[in-house]
Amino acid sequence: MSRTVIVVVDGFGIGAMPDAGVLRPGDLAADTCGHVLDRCREAFGRPLRLPVLGALGLGLVHPHPDLARRTRLPVAAGRAALGYPGADTFAGHQTMMGADFSRVTVARLAEHLDEVRRVLTDAGHQVELLDGKPLLVVDGTVLVHDNLEADPGINWNASGRLDAVGFDAVLSIARTVRTIAPVARVIAVGGHADGPLSAFVRPGDGGTVGLDTPATGFYRNGGLQVQHLGAELDHTRQLPELAARAGVPVTLVGKAADILVCETAVRRPAVDTAEVLAHTVEAARSAGDALVVANVQETDLAGHQQDAERHGRILEQVDAGLAALLSLLSEAGDRLIVTGDHGNDPTIGHAFHTREYVPVLIHRPEAAGAELLPDAASLADVGATAAAALGLDPAGLANGAEIRGAAPRAS
């Protein structure tokens, strides 16, 4: 029996990567963990209560004084660089699960405007610029533009008013753009706006131009339809499919259920942290081999809301849930891996993700003590480590990675 549970605390960074300031120089000061701990101590009049994260080795990889510097648990603790461009939940999870993101780039639509225009025209669409700006109006109804709600150049959108065009038409245009787009995601968005979409076009960071989707009323007027079209990936060479083909039951919880591909997986989508943790604990009670991948989304939402206190309260909820998981994953070969997918520092002065290292905290019941790991070059190492713990061959993953803090299970 070998159960591996991966808990991704969304947006939980532990300090800026060296290239974090390329897009925004101020992001070199990003430290989601440290700044949340500081702000919550000031607001609550006490340090955050994170005994389990401390016992899992968070204090070994982050120097904050509110985190314990020692642990008696059998853990391996380190930090990982992201291993993909930018700072994005979709790219983070795909990389972690074994996808090869080496061909995915960060790019503004303006840099590929002629190519996108050509592929849409070849598909029979009428395409024109909007008032000379670097975004496209397709068939007079759908805007193809930079996504302004993520870091510049991470995603492109195809957006349409559903009173003027059906969502199937928006999705078809997005799929055509996807065939030529080098970015991680092309997102089809349809909704009911408060006026013509051209009235809500504005410049974004890093030279982008796009639709201010929240201002349109799409999110508040009801009827919103969204579909994410990811970069072409070989999902058969990702951890969930690798495990499923080996007969290991797979459960995907929270946002992981929405963005990871595995046909036979049990899916438990949820946003509420208590619900995510309850589903994760339930899946971890398996009496045999199991892979569980869970995403705690509300930490990321708190980062976007620039609400450090909410972020801290969610971390305390997560810590309590991890205590329940530790009590279940106590057999030799079991693994609890706690990590993040990027940073989202709520104190940095903007509502975007931050490009930070993330913790990689691995509980290994059969180990003799604690081990401090060297920095990993990519989140891919999390998938490789989980594969080895489950007795799978990490070479089956598409992106190549190293096993960290966990030896392959004896056959």
Side-chain angles (χ1 to χ4, degrees), residues 284-368:
R285 296 185 190 278
S286 168
D289 290 351
L291 170 65
V292 184
V293 184
N295 172 281
V296 177
Q297 186 180 359
E298 286 192 301
T299 41
D300 187 54
L301 297 179
H304 287 306
Q305 294 162 351
Q306 301 177 68
D307 189 340
E309 294 172 34
R310 182 188 179 201
H311 197 296
R313 288 191 290 269
I314 297 300
L315 283 179
E316 290 189 329
Q317 269 190 277
V318 171
D319 199 89
L322 293 176
L325 287 170
L326 275 181
S327 68
L328 290 172
L329 302 172
S330 58
E331 302 295 328
D334 286 346
R335 293 291 181 270
L336 171 62
I337 304 175
V338 181
T339 188
D341 51 352
H342 50 73
N344 196 341
D345 189 334
T347 73
I348 204 70
H350 60 72
F352 295 116
H353 295 159
T354 41
R355 189 165 166 80
E356 299 180 52
Y357 291 100
V358 294
V360 179
L361 314 176
I362 307 167
H363 179 243
R364 315 166 299 174
E366 76 280 5

Side-chain angles (χ1 to χ4, degrees), residues 65-120:
D66 286 350
L67 298 172
R69 299 261 104 32
R70 301 170 64 184
T71 176
R72 295 181 179 178
L73 282 183
V75 299
R79 63 178 190 170
L82 301 184
Y84 64 87
D88 178 65
T89 294
F90 177 83
H93 283 69
Q94 303 302 334
T95 298
M96 191 184 305
M97 293 296 107
D100 181 1
F101 258 67
S102 61
R103 297 180 184 177
V104 175
T105 63
V106 175
R108 295 174 299 153
L109 180 62
E111 297 163 3
H112 297 268
L113 207 58
D114 290 343
E115 300 162 69
V116 176
R117 190 172 193 169
R118 187 180 309 114
V119 75
L120 286 166

